[in-house]
């Protein structure tokens, strides 16, 4: 009953003309970003964040979320027409999507991707609607030790799933923790790691780190990639975009598989759309009566991963909104956006900020319909974006990066840091250090230190308090198991294969 | 070889991170580790500093023990291209102190199009002027977002 009234309230917020407009803008930008290879949703959300500072929090988060899930819809277009994933979550879609396009079924592949995204995206939001309230109610009993343990668990999962080398994931996380310590200690006002720079007393702006590591790092990586590939033509006319009855029948199970797998994997911090799309594809191939057709243009090979990467959105918002734990780069930026607006994601968010919580959830039902419209009849129009030359796109990304980093603080010092973090992002990708743990360490570092210090204050210095409370003991044990299990060769081979096959 | 590069990269990055870890521990030891109220400002950095040193040494040791499996060569010209772009970006940011956003950004865009992407000078000039003007009109003029200004007021 509480859920129904909350959702009704959410629709009242989301259907306000201003919020419908922001939802549309977010979905449109997301689709464009999804289509453009070399610019990911995390980078775009980071770039546009400064522009949302003056917006109402509900409208702002509705737009940012629109970019987040819109990019997953758009990512499939590039995979199918170019054999280049627009986003990492669309890597698996290339396998069968591009083969379908080569056989002249590009329209059907795009149609299946859009339908799977809509079905699974909506199932994901239904999952979020039903699961978030009980999770938040459970988390109400959490105190500092449980929060510390929860963050350890979340970060362990992110490290486990973000890169082939566990050591590099952990080091990336520690780098994030260090960067967030720079500035003034909140408990004692002691300045830490400021290198004699008074400008660092307030700490490093999250925007500068996110834009530098994601946007500038990605652009530098893309500069290496060279010239654009050849685009396969998109069939004109709405009818040509619809899959035939036989293809739809083949995809029935894939829609369901993608929806459930995507949502469940999405709920895990670090799970992410890339992993969920890979798992859904693997399940689909394993249960198929004709697995030999996978990789040669099987429609269910498009439906399962595309469904999974969209259902993942609903799942990823469960830990973000109910526990304040982001599951990856994009949700980490959304968390800092919410904090900047004065909204505190966590178990009390539903009571303290019902407009933002339920408004966001309801807007995602609307956003999925908007995206279905944008991605079915309008897909030939969007495919034209692929013709935008990179030499025009890259200066624009640099310009937006400068505006994003300077606009928030108005300090030239931040632009200098942006240059440094851009190089760091590029070096990390060259040396195969995953960037998601760094960003998550940076976002959660302060809260993690606070929770640990408060726990030890409560227990008068007794570290055992962390393992004497059942919930925190369970979560810390799980975190330990997660970090130790890759020591078993067979598990690590499986883990590395899952991560590397996703690019 | 890519494998050799990564191996060398792992050793160098591991050494850099180990040095950073030592710096963190040294700094953390100058602050209170524990106070009457509980853990002090040096408590948390000390422990992640220790973890950083241990893990980076492990990275160095493990990369020295693994065999090379490099198949493709590291593409130095491509890396050079990326570094050229980064240097141009760094220079344009440095110039913003003196010339402001509009001129520095136009110069960066011109350099990217003409030198990095090897397009004709006229194309580069059109992209540079059009994009710089568009940024100026959208951000400082229409949205009142402040951008670095030079001696000419833009």
């Amino acid at each position: 009953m509480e859920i129904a009234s909350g959702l009704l309230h959410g629709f009242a917020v989301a259907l306000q003309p201003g919020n419908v407009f922001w939802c549309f803008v977010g979905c449109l930008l997301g689709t464009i970003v999804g289509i453009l290879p070399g610019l990911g949703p995390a980078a775009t959300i980071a770039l546009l964040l400064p522009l949302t500072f003056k917006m109402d929090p509900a409208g702002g988060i509705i737009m940012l979320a629109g970019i987040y899930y819109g990019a997953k819809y758009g990512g499939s277009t590039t995979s199918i027409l170019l054999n280049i994933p627009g986003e990492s979550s669309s890597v698996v879609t290339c396998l069968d999507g591009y083969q379908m396009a080569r056989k002249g079924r590009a329209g059907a592949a795009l149609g299946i991707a859009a339908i799977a995204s809509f079905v699974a995206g909506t199932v994901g939001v239904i999952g979020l609607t039903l699961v978030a309230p009980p999770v938040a109610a459970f988390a109400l009993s959490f105190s500092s030790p449980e929060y510390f343990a929860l963050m350890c668990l979340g970060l362990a999962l992110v490290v486990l799933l973000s890169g082939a080398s566990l050591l590099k994931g952990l080091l990336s996380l520690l780098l994030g923790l260090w960067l967030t310590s720079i500035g003034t200690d909140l408990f004692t006002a002691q300045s830490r790691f400021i290198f004699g720079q008074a400008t660092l007393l307030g700490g490093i702006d999250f925007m500068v780190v996110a834009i530098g590591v994601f946007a500038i790092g990605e652009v530098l990586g893309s500069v290496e990639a060279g010239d654009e590939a050849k685009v396969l033509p998109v069939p004109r006319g709405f009818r040509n975009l619809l899959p035939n009855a036989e293809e739809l029948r083949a995809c029935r199970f894939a829609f369901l598989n993608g929806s459930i797998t995507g949502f469940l994997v999405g709920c895990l911090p670090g799970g992410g759309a890339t992993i969920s799309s890979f798992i859904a594809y693997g399940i689909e191939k394993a249960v198929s009566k004709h697995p030999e057709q996978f990789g040669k243009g099987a429609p269910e090979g498009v439906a399962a991963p595309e469904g999974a990467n969209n259902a993942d959105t609903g799942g990823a918002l469960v830990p973000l909104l109910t526990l304040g734990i982001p599951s990856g780069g994009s949700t980490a930026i959304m968390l800092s956006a919410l904090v900047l607006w004065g909204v505190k994601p966590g178990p009390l968010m539903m009571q303290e900020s019902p407009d933002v919580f339920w408004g966001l959830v309801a807007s995602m039902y609307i956003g999925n319909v908007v995206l279905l419209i944008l991605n079915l009849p309008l897909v030939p129009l969007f495919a034209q974006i692929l013709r935008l030359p990179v030499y025009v796109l890259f200066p624009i990304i640099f310009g937006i990066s400068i505006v994003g980093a300077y606009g928030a603080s108005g300090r030239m010092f931040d632009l200098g840091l942006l240059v440094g973090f851009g190089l760091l992002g590029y070096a990390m990708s060259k040396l195969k250090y995953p960037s998601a743990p760094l960003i998550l360490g940076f976002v959660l570092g302060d809260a993690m230190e606070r929770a640990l210090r408060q726990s030890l204050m409560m227990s008068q210095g007794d570290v055992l308090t962390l393992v004497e409370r059942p919930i925190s003991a369970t979560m810390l044990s799980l975190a330990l198991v997660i970090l130790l299990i890759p020591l078993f060769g067979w598990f690590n081979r499986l883990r590395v294969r899952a991560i590397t096959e996703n690019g | 070889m890519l494998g050799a590069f990564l191996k060398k990269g792992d050793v160098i990055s591991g050494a850099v991170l180990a040095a950073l870890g030592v710096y963190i521990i040294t700094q953390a030891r100058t602050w209170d580790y524990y106070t009457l109220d509980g853990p002090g400002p040096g408590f948390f950095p000390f422990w992640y500093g220790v973890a950083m040193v241990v893990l980076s040494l492990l990275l160095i040791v493990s990369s020295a023990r693994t065999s090379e499996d490099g198949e493709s060569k590291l593409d130095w010209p491509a890396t050079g291209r990326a570094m050229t772009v980064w240097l141009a970006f760094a220079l344009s940011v440095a110039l913003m102190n003196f010339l402001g956003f509009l001129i520095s950004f136009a110069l960066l865009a011109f350099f990217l199009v003409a030198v990095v992407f090897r397009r004709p000078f006229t194309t580069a000039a059109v992209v540079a002027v059009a994009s710089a003007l568009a940024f100026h009109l959208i951000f400082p003029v229409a949205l009142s977002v402040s951008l670095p200004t030079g001696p000419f007021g833009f």
Side-chain angles (χ1 to χ4, degrees):
Chain A
M1 202 55 216
E2 213 174 289
I3 294 175
S5 62
L7 195 60
L8 273 177
H9 176 70
F11 273 108
V13 175
L15 286 170
Q16 286 168 11
N19 290 338
V20 173
F21 173 74
W22 291 123
C23 179
F24 175 78
V25 170
C27 291
L28 181 71
L29 283 171
T31 305
I32 294 171
V33 166
I35 290 173
L36 288 172
L39 187 64
T44 314
I45 297 173
L47 288 173
L48 293 178
L49 188 52
L51 296 181
T52 63
F53 287 164
K54 290 176 191 164
M55 284 169 68
D56 159 60
I61 197 70
I62 284 172
M63 186 183 87
L64 295 183
I67 298 172
Y68 175 47
Y69 55 82
K72 294 176 177 177
Y73 268 75
S76 58
T77 307
T78 332
S79 295
I80 292 165
L81 298 178
L82 270 179
N83 201 24
I84 295 171
E87 305 309 327
S88 61
S89 58
S90 303
V91 173
V92 194
T93 312
C94 288
L95 300 177
D96 284 281
Y98 186 66
Q99 292 305 324
M100 279 183 80
R102 284 186 62 190
K103 287 179 184 166
R105 300 295 296 153
L110 290 166
I112 287 171
I115 294 167
S117 300
F118 173 73
V119 172
T122 308
V123 170
V125 186
I126 294 171
L128 167 67
T129 313
L130 298 176
V131 171
V135 173
F138 175 65
L140 274 174
S141 62
F142 285 14
S143 183
S144 297
E146 282 80 16
Y147 269 109
F148 176 73
L150 179 68
M151 282 183 256
C152 288
L153 177 61
L155 291 172
L157 271 166
V158 171
V159 168
L160 179 80
L161 298 171
S162 60
S165 165
L166 211 60
L167 277 176
K168 289 183 178 177
L170 283 168
L171 283 166
S172 171
L173 165 69
L174 293 174
L175 198 57
L177 291 182
W178 173 61
L179 289 170
T180 201
S181 300
I182 293 173
T184 309
D185 174 37
L186 288 175
F187 285 74
T188 59
Q190 164 79 51
S191 61
R192 298 190 293 190
F193 308 114
I194 60 164
F195 304 97
Q197 297 277 343
T199 28
L200 282 176
L201 279 171
I204 296 178
D205 195 335
F206 171 76
M207 300 294 311
V208 178
V209 183
I211 296 177
V213 171
F214 282 119
I216 305 288
E218 270 180 35
V219 170
L220 294 176
S222 304
V223 167
E224 282 194 347
D227 283 327
E228 306 99 291
K230 203 171 176 341
V231 187
L232 291 176
V234 186
R236 303 265 162 190
F238 182 64
R239 286 178 71 87
N240 292 324
L241 285 163
L242 293 177
N244 60 36
E246 194 190 333
E247 286 164 331
L248 274 179
R249 208 173 312 121
C251 292
R252 272 177 314 180
F253 176 72
F255 291 146
L256 187 70
N257 164 22
S259 305
I260 297 172
T261 311
F263 179 76
L264 292 178
V265 177
C267 287
L268 301 174
T274 314
I275 304 274
S276 63
S277 61
F278 171 75
I279 294 175
Y281 186 84
I283 294 176
E284 201 60 39
K285 194 173 168 182
V287 301
S288 171
K289 286 178 189 148
H290 47 81
E292 71 287 349
Q293 287 183 15
F294 279 71
K296 293 174 188 157
E300 56 269 48
V302 175
E306 272 309 305
N309 77 32
N310 284 282
D312 171 272
T313 310
L317 291 180
V318 174
L320 175 74
L321 300 178
T322 59
L323 305 170
I325 306 285
S327 55
S330 302
T331 40
I333 300 169
M334 283 160 68
L335 170 67
S336 47
L338 287 168
V339 173
L340 281 168
W341 291 315
V343 177
K344 195 164 171 269
L348 290 172
M349 185 180 171
M350 262 176 257
Q351 280 96 53
E352 287 173 353
S353 312
D355 283 9
V356 180
F357 182 89
W358 288 110
L360 169 63
V361 173
S363 80
M364 290 173 68
Y365 287 95
I366 301 164
N368 272 299
V369 178
V370 170
L371 283 163
L372 186 68
I373 297 167
L374 288 178
N375 282 271
L376 261 183
L378 296 180
V379 79
L381 189 71
F382 281 110
Q384 300 303 316
I385 295 169
L386 290 169
R387 299 184 197 284
L388 179 73
V390 282
Y391 63 81
V392 175
L393 179 66
F394 284 5
I396 294 174
I397 298 176
F398 274 116
I400 300 175
S401 301
I402 294 169
V403 173
Y406 184 85
S409 65
R411 295 186 309 195
M412 280 306 293
F413 183 76
D414 282 348
L415 287 185
L417 287 178
L418 179 72
V419 171
F421 282 116
L423 185 64
L424 177 70
Y426 175 68
M428 285 177 70
S429 77
K430 285 298 281 183
L431 294 167
K432 306 249 184 269
Y433 280 80
S435 53
L438 182 144
I439 296 292
L440 259 75
F442 190 86
V443 170
L444 293 180
D446 264 346
M448 198 173 173
E449 181 177 5
R450 199 178 314 129
L452 177 62
R453 285 166 74 174
Q454 278 170 350
S455 304
L456 293 176
M457 279 177 191
M458 280 161 51
S459 68
Q460 287 159 342
D462 184 7
V463 186
L464 289 177
T465 187
L466 296 171
V467 286
E468 280 169 357
R469 301 165 70 105
I471 298 173
S472 72
T474 312
M475 287 192 283
L476 283 175
S477 314
L478 274 174
L480 196 66
V481 169
I482 285 166
L483 293 179
L484 290 180
I485 203 170
L487 293 178
F488 294 100
W490 62 269
F491 179 84
N492 202 40
R493 278 192 292 279
L494 202 72
R495 182 185 76 89
V496 171
R497 210 185 75 198
I499 294 165
T500 47
E501 280 192 21
N502 282 287
Chain B
M1 306 289 273
L2 186 64
F5 164 75
L6 279 178
K7 199 170 151 179
K8 201 174 159 190
D10 285 356
V11 173
I12 295 172
S13 61
V16 170
L17 287 168
L20 177 63
V22 171
Y23 165 75
I24 291 171
I25 295 169
T26 327
Q27 286 289 304
R29 284 177 63 87
T30 62
W31 308 317
D32 286 335
Y33 178 79
Y34 215 88
T35 65
L36 285 175
D37 298 327
F43 180 83
F44 195 56
F46 176 80
W47 285 109
Y48 68 68
V50 169
M52 193 180 264
V53 172
V54 172
L55 293 172
S56 38
L57 291 178
L58 272 176
L59 179 70
I60 296 172
V61 172
S62 68
S63 75
R65 281 178 55 188
T66 51
S67 57
E68 285 175 29
D69 58 345
E71 285 157 12
S72 54
K73 280 186 178 170
L74 180 73
D75 190 350
W76 282 110
T79 310
R81 252 160 76 96
M83 289 319 296
T84 311
V85 171
W86 179 77
L87 277 173
F89 175 54
L91 190 65
S92 81
V93 164
L95 282 176
M96 264 172 218
N97 273 315
F98 312 104
L99 298 176
F101 173 82
L102 196 67
I103 298 174
S104 311
F105 177 71
L107 288 173
L108 172 67
F110 183 84
F111 178 83
L112 288 177
V113 180
V115 180
V116 179
F117 290 100
R118 299 174 188 209
R119 303 290 149 171
F121 278 10
T122 33
T123 311
V126 170
V127 173
V129 173
S131 57
L133 273 178
F135 270 102
H136 183 71
L137 291 176
I138 293 171
F139 293 102
V141 177
L143 296 174
S144 306
V145 173
S146 69
L147 286 176
T149 48
F152 313 107
F154 51 76

